[in-house]
Amino acid sequence: MLVAAAVCPHTPLLVPALAGAGQGELAGLRSACHEAVAALLAAGPDRVVVVGGADHDRAFDGWAAGSLRSYGVDVTTGAGVPVLPLSLTVGRWLLERAAYDFGAVALRAVAADAPADACLKLGAELAGEGRVALLVAADGSACLTANSPGHLDPAAAPYDDLVAGALAGGDHETLAALDPGTADRLWASGRAALQVLAGAAAGGAFDGSLLARAAPYGVGYFTAVWRRRGAAPGSS
C-alpha cells in the first residue's frame, strides 16, 4: 500500500556545487526537496522506492551507485561502479541527505517512452507489499521559453499547469491520463515516472501539497508531497 510520495526534480543543479548563477531560486527548490523527503519518511514506510525515467527499464538495489561527474562535479552517491541514470542518481542523493537506511530502499528506472498502461501496472506492483513510499524524480516540460532545451511550445505551460494542479491536489487520475505523445513533444521527461506514481496511488485518497515550482532555465521543476488519508505512521 502506498502511504506517501514525494515528487522532486532530477536536475543535477540541485547539488549546491552545480547551482551557479541560479543559486537563489535553486536553493529554495533544494530546500523544498529536503522538506518533501523528510515528510515522506515521517509516514513510517516499510520501504522506499525511488522511481525515475531512463533510457530503459531496470531495477537496482538501494546500494547501487550513481555519479554526476559528467555534469562537471565529483559527486557520487552509493557504493561501487556508478550505474544509475541521472534521475535515480539525484533521487538517491536526496535520500542520502536524510540518512535513511538504504537496506530498505529499492531504485527503479522506468523507460521514459514506456506506455501509460505499463507505467500504471508497474506502480501498482511497487505499492503491493507493506507500507511503501515513493520518491519520484520527475521534471516537467523543457519547452517553456525560447531559451529552453526544447525551445518554446505554447502547450508547455498549460501542460505544466495541469501537472502542478494534480500534484497539489493528490490527483492520481489526472496523472494517469497524461498523454505520452504530448509529453514527448514537450520534452516532459518525468511523464513515465509520474504515471508510475499514479498507478501506485490508484484506489487510494491522498492529500497533496505543492511545496515549490520553478523554471529557472526554461524547464519545469516541481516539488510535492502526497500523504494517504487515514494512514497514520506505523499503521497497516
Side-chain angles (χ1 to χ4, degrees):
M1 177 181 74
L2 183 71
V3 295
V7 176
C8 295
H10 57 69
T11 173
L13 293 169
L14 288 177
V15 178
L18 287 170
Q23 177 68 31
E25 191 168 12
L26 288 164
L29 192 67
R30 185 184 312 116
S31 177
C33 288
H34 294 321
E35 179 182 347
V37 171
L40 181 82
L41 301 182
D46 299 324
R47 64 190 179 101
V48 174
V49 183
V50 184
V51 178
D55 290 338
H56 307 286
D57 288 347
R58 186 174 174 186
F60 304 87
D61 66 40
W63 304 107
S67 174
L68 296 176
R69 286 182 181 177
S70 63
Y71 295 90
V73 66
D74 188 13
V75 169
T76 299
T77 181
V81 177
V83 293
L84 298 178
L86 173 62
S87 60
L88 296 185
T89 298
V90 174
R92 195 190 188 285
W93 179 84
L94 287 169
L95 197 56
E96 193 174 65
R97 305 279 76 71
Y100 190 67
D101 175 13
F102 279 89
V105 173
L107 307 169
R108 190 58 165 84
V110 57
D113 61 354
D117 57 354
C119 297
L120 297 174
K121 181 180 178 181
L122 174 60
E125 291 172 353
L126 293 177
E129 288 186 33
R131 294 173 55 84
V132 178
L134 293 188
L135 173 52
V136 181
D139 290 351
S141 174
C143 295
L144 292 170
T145 70
N147 295 322
S148 295
H151 306 294
L152 176 65
D153 189 311
Y159 176 91
D160 272 19
D161 287 344
L162 181 69
V163 171
L167 293 177
D171 180 1
H172 54 82
E173 293 181 352
T174 292
L175 296 182
L178 293 174
D179 177 61
T182 300
D184 182 64
R185 178 171 63 84
L186 297 177
W187 291 40
S189 61
R191 186 274 312 172
L194 290 172
Q195 289 189 313
V196 172
L197 168 59
F206 292 82
D207 294 316
S209 178
L210 187 65
L211 303 181
R213 181 180 179 185
Y217 298 101
V219 181
Y221 299 140
F222 315 99
T223 304
V225 176
W226 286 11
R227 300 175 180 85
R228 191 181 193 98
R229 293 175 193 163
S235 65
S236 59

